[in-house]
Amino acid sequence: MRNVESEVQRNYDDFTYVPNLIFKSIGYDFLATSKPTWQEFLLRIYWILGFASQLYMFYYLILRTIEWDTLAGNPTIIMRFGIVYFFVLNADVKLIIFMYHRRRLRKLNEKMRSIYPSEDAERRAYRLNEFYWPRSARYGVYYYYFVFFFVMASPILQSVGMYLYERSTSHGEIKFAYISTYPIERIKTMTPLWYVFSQGVDIVFSLFIMNASLGTDIWMMCIAGQLSLHFDHLGRQLQGYSPSRRNGPKDCEFLASIVRKHQLLYILHKELNDIFGMLLAYNIFSTAITLCCIAFYTLLQGITREGIGFSLFFISISAQFYMVCYYGQLLIDMSEHVAVAAYTQNWYNGSSTYQKHLLLIMQRAQRPAELSAKGVIIISRETFTSMMNITYRFFTVIRRVLLVETRSSN
């Protein structure tokens, strides 16, 4: 068991470092941290390159879609295009909503910073390290980037491997395959230099949309985690307090401080939902469609490079959504802990005024703080389970349809 007393407790910047770093990786310093001029210049250049790569890829994506001859009659290519469309739209819509609310989020972030414990003894009482990014979240992020590097590197490695194999076995003319990450024809006559340019654009484009999608979720999880640790500390404060009829005024003063903090947390929680509610609603919708498309495409591909890559991609999208649901559940559990703490303390030893005020806290805490998709869907582990059930049902239906078509064609 860890010794909380001997641990150096995390400061607030430790919690915000990861989400801000992810946004920095697409050229946007959300917290506007101090940096040399040359770093500021490089960030702006990369931000512009990210948007330019999006425009470039979107142009050819729409162009090839308009040229329906390249898609008609080929369900594999249609589904491949659909996955790209939905994933890019998911990232772009989330980024647009995030940028629209960026000032409100900065203010909310400063409010969370202002109530963060400053003294070392207070930080130990909060047990801050227990709420630092959990191992499951950290491993989820690591796996997310592992999938990115696998998907981006595998077509290059396959092209090189095929070239070396043909060179060692064939005596005729050998051509480099120039396999691309995305099934979008952009360059009619491919050369080594054009291939390097094409893959470079693919990498910048993919990194931009993946970090935009992940970064918005990580910021939401960061604020939800901060609210959770405050609810947890509030509950432990309440549970550990022993009221007495002889100390009526002191007890009521303590309870008043708890009520003020509890009300403040609910105000901050409402602001969090106002900022991210629409984003959560769209995230649920787009994630469900993307997972179903990936499941269908993986089934069509079978055990191939793309099939394996999209299987890994399916797991990374699921893990990202699970992280969001994990923090939604954590917020529910910690806010409910306040009501449980109020009930289990020695409230019967307090004065009648103390008991009445405590009853108000219990009634308010009966409605837990929740991450809500505009009041329609509550984000929790149950939401994740429902999402996986929908995807599995879709997968089984499509699999049966494909089996029936295969048997009828034979």
Side-chain angles (χ1 to χ4, degrees):
M1 187 174 179
R2 293 184 304 175
N3 187 0
V4 177
E5 295 298 324
S6 63
E7 283 185 330
V8 177
Q9 299 296 305
R10 302 275 182 174
N11 59 43
Y12 189 78
D13 290 331
D14 291 332
F15 286 88
T16 60
Y17 176 79
V18 173
N20 199 48
L21 178 64
I22 293 175
F23 265 94
K24 276 186 176 181
S25 67
I26 63 174
Y28 180 60
D29 186 1
F30 174 71
L31 295 180
T33 56
S34 60
K35 65 182 75 64
T37 306
W38 64 270
Q39 286 187 11
E40 183 72 30
F41 176 75
L42 289 178
L43 283 175
R44 290 184 180 180
I45 291 296
Y46 191 72
W47 177 255
I48 293 170
L49 286 176
F51 271 104
S53 68
Q54 286 228 60
L55 294 174
Y56 176 84
M57 293 294 290
F58 240 95
Y59 168 77
Y60 281 103
L61 189 64
I62 295 172
L63 182 64
R64 297 297 173 251
T65 305
I66 294 173
E67 297 172 354
W68 186 248
D69 293 340
T70 61
L71 302 179
N74 192 332
T76 302
I77 297 296
I78 293 173
M79 193 56 61
R80 185 74 167 86
F81 269 66
I83 293 170
V84 177
Y85 267 119
F86 283 119
F87 188 64
V88 173
L89 285 174
N90 180 34
D92 285 347
V93 170
K94 289 167 72 173
L95 182 60
I96 290 169
I97 295 174
F98 182 90
M99 295 299 291
Y100 179 77
H101 291 294
R102 67 187 184 279
R103 291 185 179 87
R104 291 180 65 185
L105 183 57
R106 285 197 188 105
K107 290 180 181 179
L108 178 58
N109 180 60
E110 289 305 314
K111 290 176 183 176
M112 298 305 305
R113 183 189 293 274
S114 67
I115 64 173
Y116 192 83
S118 56
E119 300 298 328
D120 186 63
E122 191 181 10
R123 289 181 177 182
R124 295 183 192 281
Y126 268 80
R127 301 177 185 174
L128 297 174
N129 289 357
E130 295 181 11
F131 288 87
Y132 186 69
W133 299 104
R135 187 175 299 175
S136 59
R138 296 199 300 271
Y139 285 172
V141 172
Y142 299 154
Y143 178 79
Y144 191 84
Y145 286 108
F146 164 76
V147 172
F148 165 76
F149 285 113
F150 178 88
V151 171
M152 299 310 301
S154 57
I156 301 173
L157 295 175
Q158 184 178 356
S159 299
V160 173
M162 290 171 61
Y163 177 79
L164 293 176
Y165 175 77
E166 291 183 10
R167 187 172 181 178
S168 62
T169 57
S170 176
H171 300 288
E173 184 181 1
I174 303 171
K175 293 184 178 180
F176 196 80
Y178 296 119
I179 300 173
S180 177
T181 305
Y182 297 98
I184 308 169
E185 184 183 353
R186 289 162 281 169
I187 301 169
K188 296 294 183 182
T189 305
M190 188 67 75
T191 64
L193 285 177
W194 278 118
Y195 185 64
V196 171
F197 169 78
S198 175
Q199 291 303 107
V201 171
D202 287 355
I203 290 172
V204 173
F205 168 73
S206 301
L207 188 63
F208 190 91
I209 61 172
M210 291 186 73
N211 281 347
S213 175
L214 180 64
T216 52
D217 288 346
I218 292 289
W219 261 114
M220 180 183 58
M221 291 155 54
C222 176
I223 302 298
Q226 288 295 308
L227 287 171
S228 298
L229 70 86
H230 285 289
F231 276 119
D232 174 69
H233 180 253
L234 208 63
R236 285 187 286 105
Q237 268 190 311
L238 197 56
Q239 191 171 26
Y241 189 76
S242 297
S244 171
R245 288 183 173 84
R246 292 177 298 177
N247 298 324
K250 182 181 177 182
D251 293 343
C252 290
E253 183 180 345
F254 164 79
L255 207 55
S257 67
I258 295 292
V259 170
R260 286 193 297 269
K261 182 67 174 290
H262 197 237
Q263 288 176 338
L264 175 61
L265 292 180
Y266 269 91
I267 292 172
L268 296 175
H269 157 257
K270 182 180 182 301
E271 181 70 7
L272 176 66
N273 270 336
D274 287 345
I275 294 172
F276 287 100
M278 183 61 71
L279 189 148
L280 282 169
Y282 181 78
N283 194 18
I284 293 171
F285 168 76
S286 61
T287 300
I289 295 177
T290 304
L291 287 176
C292 290
C293 289
I294 294 174
F296 180 45
Y297 184 76
T298 305
L299 188 63
L300 292 174
Q301 284 295 305
I303 305 176
T304 62
R305 176 188 63 81
E306 285 207 341
I308 295 172
F310 273 87
S311 297
L312 297 175
F313 186 46
F314 179 91
I315 297 173
S316 72
I317 296 294
S318 303
Q320 182 180 347
F321 188 66
Y322 174 78
M323 289 190 293
V324 173
C325 294
Y326 170 86
Y327 274 89
Q329 187 66 54
L330 181 67
L331 185 58
I332 292 172
D333 293 343
M334 294 300 101
S335 60
E336 285 181 337
H337 176 57
V338 177
V340 175
Y343 182 77
T344 56
Q345 74 156 200
N346 298 330
W347 52 267
Y348 43 81
N349 291 331
S351 64
S352 58
T353 305
Y354 178 88
Q355 293 177 16
K356 289 177 182 178
H357 290 168
L358 188 65
L359 184 61
L360 293 176
I361 294 179
M362 294 173 65
Q363 290 175 341
R364 186 182 185 90
Q366 289 297 325
R367 295 180 302 156
E370 300 164 329
L371 285 179
S372 170
K374 282 297 179 183
V376 179
I377 300 176
I378 305 303
I379 306 300
S380 64
R381 288 198 187 97
E382 187 177 346
T383 312
F384 177 78
T385 303
S386 300
M387 178 75 73
M388 291 298 102
N389 285 335
I390 291 171
T391 306
Y392 177 74
R393 289 170 187 170
F394 175 84
F395 179 82
T396 53
V397 169
I398 291 298
R399 187 169 180 271
R400 288 174 186 171
V401 170
L402 290 177
L403 286 174
V404 170
E405 288 184 354
T406 303
R407 288 171 182 171
S408 61
S409 62
N410 293 334

